[in-house]
């Protein structure tokens, strides 16, 4: 996709002056080494199969790295394979599903430039030809080995007359082609570099989308992380305006591996750190980052954002965003997304579990038993049925907790500063004071805005019933801890469940300190309301999904600070994304530029909030380069992106 570096989609090089492109097959055109896959097919179920497959892969890697000669590598692998002609269709079917992603994305380039593209491989024509021709490669431009079979169809070797069966065979093929003009080689192995070393190619691109061989990379003129990267480097027609391999994603605080996989599958350059970073550490880490993923412990301050010159989007892998300076993000054109629903059920279940444990005084009884005591009395042990549950905050978690609590026979009361529709038999209280006076159990589910600091202090605890159960599974700074401790020690609160704290350890290795420690009938949990496997998987899928929609398509639906737009998929157009200060006349200026250059608009979308406006324009692919610069130069422009 794109950051601030923008180029148009059409090749800047006339076709007649373009180089010839020599492309390897195994681990370049496809994600895998075909003979490794064939080994998995031919050796399946054999006693020696697993060991033979491992040997084949080892020999492949040694040959590709130049540690042994190609001919030796080929002979050794074929001897281990024990393959048959009848197994080739299964191999071809498997390889069809393993074509490199960037090659599939750029089929149009391969087809349009088929007369200048050659597949030169030490693999075998029988399985290479159907794969590459499916993406537009000309049959006559495919050079590879051929199998030799016995009378029963068993593969027993290769054609020794084929130059590609010998060492330095690729160089001989290129020499015989006698290509007039520059030659660029794209491949992942040492035999691809040999073409450049022999003087028959002007550039060698080490292709690393599927495998990175250090001994090959160090020989390369350039590293191509993908075909997109190669095309971008040479300003050629491509499916992505900016290669994702050049877009850095930084994921902090041990986000779920599914999130990492989603970004890596899209081809992004992903860095993972298990811990939260303090302000100075984050300033250093964020300089080249385009997408940042955090949880609740990393504070994204204005000072950090001033050093985030490439940052386009932030994903909060949690519900809250109070750890993020949203105003500064908006001013800098950085879209922020969170996960408002993904861990709702997990928090609700923890709340219900703690309510039952606390109202039954299970914790002190359990602690006593661990010391050898035995207290079988029913004193201070109650059912939840018929009790009045007071919910402070009636959002996603509050409403679902309301439904579950009613199913357990509880009466539900709620208070929210926003007018909310009551679910089931829940009753809305006119004020927080009214709720505190009626509730037997109070559970906090408010947001983390600064105004909510110490929302619950000495006054609020004094308004509660004696012996109330109190839960805070929302934000740590909402509760005045000394006031809470006082209420517990006086017996005003009979039991408390606290999951969030004003100050929390940054890592699991730091000691947790709090005046709440060792108080009776108090459940302390380390901010794990949403920490279930199910919730983390949900968040790990949800947040990257929103970030990828924004990066790939421009959609901002679900953003907490941007005008929300759900955009159609981009087809047959270029998409221009313009973020600007919300002042009058921007759209008129943009359309005047389009009119001046006679550009056909396929679709246009505009939405604003108090701070910014967001205009998306889909235009015909043919337009002058000056259009981009004029759009970026409009007064009050914050950010401009180009997608195609």
């Amino acid at each position: 996709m794109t950051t601030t570096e923008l180029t148009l989609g059409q090749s800047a090089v006339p076709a007649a002056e373009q180089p010839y492109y020599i492309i390897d097959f195994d681990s370049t055109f496809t994600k895998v080494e075909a003979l490794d896959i064939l080994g998995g097919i031919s050796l399946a179920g054999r006693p020696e199969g697993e060991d033979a497959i491992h040997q084949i892969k080892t020999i492949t890697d040694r040959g590709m790295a130049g540690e042994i000669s190609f001919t030796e590598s080929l002979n050794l692998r074929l001897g281990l394979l024990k393959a048959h002609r009848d197994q080739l269709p299964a191999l071809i079917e498997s390889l069809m599903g393993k074509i490199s992603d960037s090659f599939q994305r750029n089929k149009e380039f391969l087809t349009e430039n088929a007369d200048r593209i050659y597949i030169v491989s030490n693999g075998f024509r029988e399985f290479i030809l159907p794969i590459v021709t499916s993406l537009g490669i000309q049959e006559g431009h495919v050079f590879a080995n051929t199998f030799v079979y016995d009378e029963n169809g068993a593969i027993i070797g290769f054609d020794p007359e084929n130059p590609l069966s010998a060492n330095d065979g690729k160089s001989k093929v290129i020499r015989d082609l006698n290509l007039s003009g520059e030659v660029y080689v794209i491949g992942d192995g040492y035999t691809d570099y040999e073409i450049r070393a022999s003087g028959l190619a002007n550039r060698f691109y080490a292709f690393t989308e599927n495998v990175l061989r250090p001994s090959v990379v160090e020989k390369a003129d350039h590293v191509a992380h993908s075909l997109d990267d190669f095309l971008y480097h040479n300003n050629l027609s491509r499916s992505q305006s900016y290669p994702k391999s050049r877009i850095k994603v930084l994921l902090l605080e041990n986000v779920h591996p599914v999130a990492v996989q989603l970004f890596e599958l899209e081809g992004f350059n992903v860095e993972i750190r298990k811990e939260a970073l303090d302000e100075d550490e984050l300033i250093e880490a964020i300089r080249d980052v385009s997408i940042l993923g955090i949880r609740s412990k990393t504070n994204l301050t204005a000072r950090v954002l001033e050093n985030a010159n490439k940052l386009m989007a932030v994903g909060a892998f949690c519900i809250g965003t109070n750890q993020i300076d949203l105003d500064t993000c908006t001013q800098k054109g950085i879209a922020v997304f969170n996960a408002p629903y993904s861990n709702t059920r997990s928090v609700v279940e923890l709340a219900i579990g703690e309510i039952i444990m606390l109202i039954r005084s299970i914790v002190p009884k359990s602690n006593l038993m661990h010391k050898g005591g035995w207290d079988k009395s029913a004193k201070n042990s109650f059912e939840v049925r018929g009790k009045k549950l007071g919910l402070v905050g009636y959002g996603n978690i509050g409403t679902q907790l309301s439904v579950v609590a009613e199913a357990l026979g509880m009466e539900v009361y709620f208070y929210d500063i926003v007018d909310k529709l009551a679910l089931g038999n829940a009753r809305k209280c006119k004020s927080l004071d009214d709720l505190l006076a009626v509730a037997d159990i109070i559970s906090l589910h408010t947001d983390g805005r600064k105004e909510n600091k110490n929302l619950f202090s000495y006054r609020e605890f004094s308004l509660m019933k004696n012996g109330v159960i109190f839960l805070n599974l929302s934000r740590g700074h909402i509760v005045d801890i000394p006031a809470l401790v006082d209420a517990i020690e006086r017996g005003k609160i009979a039991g408390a469940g606290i999951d969030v704290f004003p100050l929390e350890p940054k890592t699991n290795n730091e000691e947790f300190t709090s005046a709440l420690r060792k108080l009776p009938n108090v459940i302390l949990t380390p901010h794990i309301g949403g920490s279930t496997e199910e919730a983390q998987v949900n968040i790990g899928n949800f947040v990257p999904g929103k970030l990828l929609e924004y990066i790939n398509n421009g959609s901002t639906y679900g953003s907490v600070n941007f005008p929300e737009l759900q955009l159609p998929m981009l087809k047959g157009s270029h998409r221009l994304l313009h973020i600007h200060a919300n002042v009058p006349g921007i759209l008129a200026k943009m359309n005047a530029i389009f009119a001046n250059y006679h550009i056909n608009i396929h679709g246009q979308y505009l939405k604003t909030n108090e701070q910014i406006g967001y205009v998306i324009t889909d235009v015909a692919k043919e337009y002058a380069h000056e259009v981009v610069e004029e759009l970026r130069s409009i007064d009050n422009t914050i950010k401009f992106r180009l997608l195609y």
Side-chain angles (χ1 to χ4, degrees):
M1 303 324 297
T2 179
T3 60
T4 54
E5 299 180 63
L6 302 167
T7 58
L8 299 185
Q10 306 307 312
S11 170
V13 184
E17 298 177 14
Q18 285 187 35
Y20 291 96
Y21 308 106
I22 310 300
I23 303 176
D24 183 35
F25 181 76
D26 292 288
S27 294
T28 298
F29 205 100
T30 58
K31 302 175 183 179
V32 293
E33 294 288 328
L35 291 187
D36 292 353
I37 303 300
L38 182 57
I41 295 169
S42 65
L43 296 166
R46 298 194 182 197
E48 76 281 11
E50 189 173 331
D51 183 58
I53 291 170
H54 176 73
Q55 289 184 58
I56 289 169
K57 290 181 177 180
T58 301
I59 294 166
T60 297
D61 289 339
R62 293 185 65 200
M64 287 296 165
E67 295 176 11
I68 59 175
S69 72
F70 170 73
T71 304
E72 182 183 0
S73 166
L74 190 57
N75 274 313
L76 289 170
R77 286 181 288 166
L78 288 180
L80 290 165
L81 276 174
K82 296 181 174 59
H84 193 277
R85 180 190 284 119
D86 293 345
Q87 293 166 332
L88 294 179
L91 171 63
I92 292 167
E93 182 180 353
S94 178
L95 293 176
M96 281 292 188
K98 293 180 171 61
I99 297 173
S100 296
D101 295 335
S102 63
F103 277 80
Q104 295 192 72
R105 282 195 296 269
N106 291 286
K107 180 179 179 180
E108 187 174 343
F109 169 81
L110 299 174
T111 302
E112 290 178 351
N113 296 277
D115 59 332
R116 307 188 74 80
I117 296 175
Y118 292 84
I119 303 298
V120 180
S121 172
N122 294 122
F124 289 83
R125 188 176 176 86
E126 286 90 336
F127 56 75
I128 292 176
L129 196 60
I131 307 300
V132 300
T133 54
S134 72
L135 265 64
I137 304 298
Q138 296 178 12
E139 183 174 343
H141 283 206
V142 178
F143 295 86
N145 279 300
T146 51
F147 288 121
V148 172
Y149 309 90
D150 66 14
E151 63 277 7
N152 297 315
I155 297 172
I156 58 173
F158 51 85
D159 178 10
E161 300 301 317
N162 189 321
L164 288 165
S165 68
N167 298 331
D168 207 23
K170 290 186 177 181
S171 296
K172 187 177 188 312
V173 168
I174 303 302
R175 190 177 292 110
D176 292 345
L177 284 172
N178 194 27
L179 303 173
S180 58
E182 291 200 342
V183 174
Y184 296 170
V185 177
I186 307 170
D188 65 285
Y190 191 83
T191 57
D192 304 304
Y193 161 70
E194 287 179 336
I195 303 172
R196 174 76 168 95
S198 66
L200 295 167
N202 301 86
R203 298 180 191 173
F204 167 53
Y205 287 81
F207 190 81
T208 62
E209 181 174 340
N210 304 310
V211 63
L212 191 155
R213 308 183 198 277
S215 61
V216 176
V217 167
E218 68 182 16
K219 300 285 187 182
D221 297 294
H222 303 280
V223 175
H225 300 289
S226 62
L227 186 58
D228 309 295
D229 203 24
F230 170 82
L231 298 175
Y232 178 83
H233 185 266
N234 289 286
N235 197 24
L236 296 168
S237 176
R238 58 195 178 274
S239 66
Q240 293 184 347
S241 45
Y242 191 76
K244 291 180 181 176
S245 55
R246 298 187 178 208
I247 298 178
K248 186 173 181 180
V249 179
L250 176 61
L251 301 176
L252 304 179
E253 300 186 64
N254 206 25
V255 302
H256 197 276
V258 70
V260 180
Q261 292 168 8
L262 287 170
F263 285 115
E264 289 181 339
L265 283 172
E266 288 268 341
F268 290 99
N269 175 11
V270 183
E271 180 184 351
I272 310 158
R273 300 203 190 182
K274 292 184 177 181
E275 70 281 356
L277 300 182
D278 63 27
E279 191 174 53
D280 288 336
E281 291 170 331
L282 191 53
I283 285 172
E284 185 62 32
I286 206 171
R287 295 188 191 279
D288 296 320
V289 170
S290 297
I291 303 170
L292 176 67
I294 62 174
R295 294 175 74 181
S296 57
K297 292 181 182 177
T298 298
N299 289 309
L300 193 55
T301 64
R303 180 168 168 252
V304 172
L305 291 165
E306 287 303 317
N307 290 272
N309 297 326
K310 291 188 176 181
L311 193 61
M312 293 190 291
V314 176
F317 286 72
C318 52
I319 295 176
T321 55
N322 58 295
Q323 74 277 35
I324 301 169
D325 187 329
L326 294 178
D327 286 339
T328 302
C329 282
T330 306
Q331 292 164 15
K332 293 178 69 65
I334 300 165
V336 179
F337 300 86
N338 67 337
Y341 315 110
S342 300
N343 63 2
T344 299
R345 182 67 186 192
S346 297
V347 178
V348 167
E349 289 188 4
L350 180 63
I352 289 293
E354 291 195 350
I355 288 170
I356 294 172
M357 295 281 283
L358 292 166
I359 206 165
R360 292 285 298 271
S361 297
I362 298 296
V363 174
K365 285 182 167 60
S366 174
N367 291 339
L368 181 62
M369 287 189 71
H370 279 285
K371 297 176 181 178
W374 182 265
D375 178 9
K376 199 175 179 299
S377 72
K379 185 179 180 181
N380 296 323
S381 182
F382 305 94
E383 292 182 352
V384 297
R385 182 175 52 177
K387 300 299 183 294
K388 296 178 175 64
L389 171 64
L391 300 173
V392 182
Y394 203 61
N396 299 318
I397 294 173
T399 51
Q400 190 169 146
L401 179 55
S402 170
V403 172
V404 176
E406 275 201 13
L408 291 173
M410 302 176 75
E411 295 180 24
V412 178
Y413 297 80
F414 71 90
Y415 172 73
D416 199 301
I417 59 173
V418 178
D419 190 23
K420 297 288 184 71
L421 177 67
L423 300 183
N425 296 311
R427 305 171 198 177
K428 182 177 180 178
C429 295
K430 292 182 179 180
S431 68
L432 178 59
D433 289 2
D434 288 346
L435 181 139
L436 298 180
V438 72
D440 301 307
I441 303 160
I442 296 169
S443 188
L444 309 189
H445 302 286
T446 67
D447 61 35
R449 69 188 69 184
K450 295 177 182 178
E451 295 79 5
N452 284 338
K453 183 176 181 180
N454 290 341
L455 179 66
F456 275 75
S457 191
Y458 291 95
R459 176 185 176 276
E460 286 69 34
F461 291 124
S462 70
L463 296 176
M464 297 177 187
K465 292 181 176 180
N466 291 327
V468 71
I469 300 297
F470 180 79
L471 272 70
N472 182 17
L473 279 69
S474 56
R475 298 290 181 273
H477 67 272
I478 291 171
V479 177
D480 181 355
I481 296 299
L484 174 59
V485 171
D486 174 71
I488 294 170
E489 290 178 339
R490 288 189 296 106
K492 185 73 171 182
I493 292 176
I498 310 298
D499 185 53
V500 288
F501 307 88
L503 295 175
E504 298 180 357
K506 285 175 58 178
T507 70
N508 291 341
N509 297 323
E510 294 182 27
E511 182 182 359
F512 166 69
T513 58
S514 173
L516 293 167
R517 287 169 54 176
K518 300 182 180 179
L519 291 177
N521 204 25
V522 173
I523 299 175
L524 302 178
T525 50
H527 205 147
I528 56 169
S531 296
T532 62
E533 287 293 336
E534 293 89 347
Q536 293 309 304
V537 170
N538 289 339
I539 294 171
N541 279 290
F542 184 85
V543 177
K546 291 300 180 184
L547 291 168
L548 290 171
E549 280 186 2
Y550 177 62
I551 298 298
N552 293 342
N553 199 41
S555 291
T556 55
Y557 189 76
S559 173
V560 297
N561 68 323
F562 262 43
E564 290 189 275
L565 277 172
Q566 185 70 58
L567 300 171
M569 293 298 295
L570 180 61
K571 294 181 179 178
S573 304
H574 284 183
R575 177 163 288 174
L576 312 177
L577 312 175
H578 193 274
I579 305 166
H580 56 270
N582 186 9
V583 298
I586 298 293
L587 184 60
K589 291 178 181 178
M590 293 179 66
N591 287 337
I593 294 171
F594 295 136
N596 186 46
Y597 285 92
H598 306 288
I599 293 173
N600 186 32
I601 296 177
H602 293 174
Q604 193 168 56
Y605 316 87
L606 165 66
K607 200 162 186 182
T608 63
N609 61 21
E610 292 181 357
Q611 290 181 277
I612 62 172
Y614 187 39
V615 178
I616 296 90
T617 309
D618 292 348
V619 301
K621 293 180 179 180
E622 295 75 25
Y623 53 87
H625 289 253
E626 291 80 7
V627 171
V628 170
E629 292 308 314
E630 289 196 27
L631 290 169
R632 294 176 68 186
S633 299
I634 294 174
D635 288 343
N636 295 295
T637 296
I638 296 173
K639 257 191 176 68
F640 178 85
R641 289 202 295 143
L642 169 65
L643 304 179
Y644 56 78

